[in-house]
Amino acid sequence: MEFIIYLALVLFGLVLGSYAGATVWRLRARQLVADKEAGEHVDHKEYTQLKTLVGEKTSKDRSRCLHCGYVLHWYDLIPLVSWLALRGKCRECRKPIGIMEPLIELGTALFFVLSFAFWPYDLTTGLQIASLVVWLVAGVGLAIMFAYDTRWYLLPDRVNFVVIGLGVISAVLMIIQSSNPVGAILNVIGAVAILSGIYFALYLISKGRWIGFGDIKLGLGLGLLLGDWELALIGLFFANFIGCLIVVPLMATGKLKRTSRVPFGPLLITGVIVAKLVGVGIAEFYTLSLM
Ligand SMILES: [Zn+2]
């Protein structure tokens, strides 16, 4: 039984990861068209390659090679498998098709498996299972934002709003299952204040120079998904800790300048996932060691 659940999680993760990868390109294409219409400078090559994605039906997205226009068949679109079989190159023109897609597919599958393996709450009632399902679906949105922010330093509004919506559902599920609903509501407010409020303060202080408004919305969605102020603090700690592990060596070797932009979204997403899955254990260990 366990094996079947894990197998299903891997398959669902790969398929939804593939959807996430396609959505990243569709959102980017929309962004470029909107930017161009607003009179902003856009990369001409990227714009010509991607603008065909706008207006096409979702089912037709990514159905062509961006370089030569080769129409992809179903066997070119199997998550991970097709990419590996073609070694990351277009079947027709042999130009590289990018490592982002297989990475999103693998990452989403890994997220699904780890979320089930480390899920800190019971999974016996329907409401408890619903909480995990909402978390997994939110994870697909987080995968899209992770990839988008890493590549283009932006968190798309549409996805942010979906994750906030799922966060509201998650928080409601948590509150109605709690033996102390008032405490649970305050807990959710605390988590949101920590993850979103701190960025809002930084945003105001720096007048939007350090972080974008997208980070504040992301913090809101993530705070709702965590629904616990202690976990929010742990998430923030991990986000900064992982950030230092990446940024300090890059700065020391001169690969990153003081003025370089660092996308904060992926760090916060990673920190919050770690906090959700192992944060309860850390909080308990910490409380025990204080006594
Ligand atoms: Zn091609």
Side-chain angles (χ1 to χ4, degrees):
M1 186 61 193
E2 281 260 293
F3 173 74
I4 294 171
I5 294 175
Y6 277 111
L7 188 68
L9 286 169
V10 169
L11 293 178
F12 271 119
L14 287 175
V15 170
L16 290 171
S18 177
Y19 165 79
T23 305
V24 167
W25 288 111
R26 195 162 62 237
L27 288 167
R28 179 61 183 167
R30 269 207 193 123
Q31 179 77 45
L32 286 174
V33 171
D35 283 357
K36 199 177 169 71
E37 276 170 7
E40 281 175 47
H41 173 77
V42 293
D43 186 279
H44 184 69
K45 191 168 159 247
E46 194 190 11
Y47 176 78
T48 343
Q49 273 186 349
L50 291 181
K51 73 172 178 203
T52 50
L53 292 178
V54 176
E56 281 200 57
K57 289 202 180 78
T58 310
S59 55
K60 286 175 85 184
D61 267 356
R62 289 296 286 161
S63 56
R64 285 166 187 276
C65 169
L66 289 175
H67 301 289
C68 68
Y70 161 71
V71 179
L72 302 175
H73 298 284
W74 64 268
Y75 49 78
D76 296 314
L77 294 165
I78 307 166
L80 208 59
V81 177
S82 299
W83 195 89
L84 288 174
L86 294 166
R87 288 184 199 84
K89 293 188 182 102
C90 167
R91 195 183 290 279
E92 195 66 25
C93 68
R94 311 302 296 162
K95 289 222 173 91
I97 45 183
I99 189 117
M100 193 176 81
E101 279 86 354
L103 283 182
I104 297 181
E105 287 159 6
L106 266 184
T108 311
L110 190 68
F111 168 80
F112 273 37
V113 166
L114 291 179
S115 290
F116 180 69
F118 286 94
W119 192 248
Y121 311 104
D122 288 333
L123 284 171
T124 39
T125 70
L127 285 177
Q128 287 167 343
I129 295 169
S131 292
L132 174 60
V133 172
V134 171
W135 167 256
L136 293 181
V137 176
V140 179
L142 296 180
I144 294 170
M145 290 204 278
F146 190 109
Y148 205 106
D149 201 24
T150 304
R151 205 167 166 141
W152 296 294
Y153 305 99
L154 198 83
L155 294 159
D157 259 350
R158 284 164 187 271
V159 191
N160 245 336
F161 290 141
V162 170
V163 170
I164 290 170
L166 289 164
V168 171
I169 298 172
S170 168
V172 169
L173 282 170
M174 195 173 261
I175 291 162
I176 55 177
Q177 289 177 79
S178 170
S179 53
N180 173 14
V182 177
I185 291 170
L186 290 175
N187 218 354
V188 170
I189 294 172
V192 168
I194 288 166
L195 286 181
S196 195
I198 283 173
Y199 291 118
F200 190 57
L202 285 173
Y203 179 83
L204 289 181
I205 293 168
S206 73
K207 297 192 178 72
R209 270 179 294 123
W210 298 340
I211 51 160
F213 209 73
D215 289 310
I216 301 167
K217 291 175 210 157
L218 177 67
L220 172 61
L222 291 173
L224 288 165
L225 283 171
L226 277 183
D228 183 292
W229 71 269
E230 274 182 303
L231 295 184
L233 278 184
I234 292 170
L236 205 57
F237 168 78
F238 274 109
N240 286 297
F241 182 67
I242 298 165
C244 288
L245 287 185
I246 296 171
V247 167
V248 170
L250 287 177
M251 273 195 163
T253 53
K255 285 191 181 112
L256 195 76
K257 292 186 185 69
R258 202 165 263 282
T259 48
S260 303
R261 291 178 76 183
V262 180
F264 208 81
L267 294 173
L268 195 60
I269 289 168
T270 311
V272 162
I273 291 172
V274 172
K276 180 84 173 180
L277 298 180
V278 299
V280 174
I282 293 172
E284 273 168 11
F285 176 78
Y286 190 69
T287 317
L288 282 177
S289 59
L290 279 182
M291 286 197 295

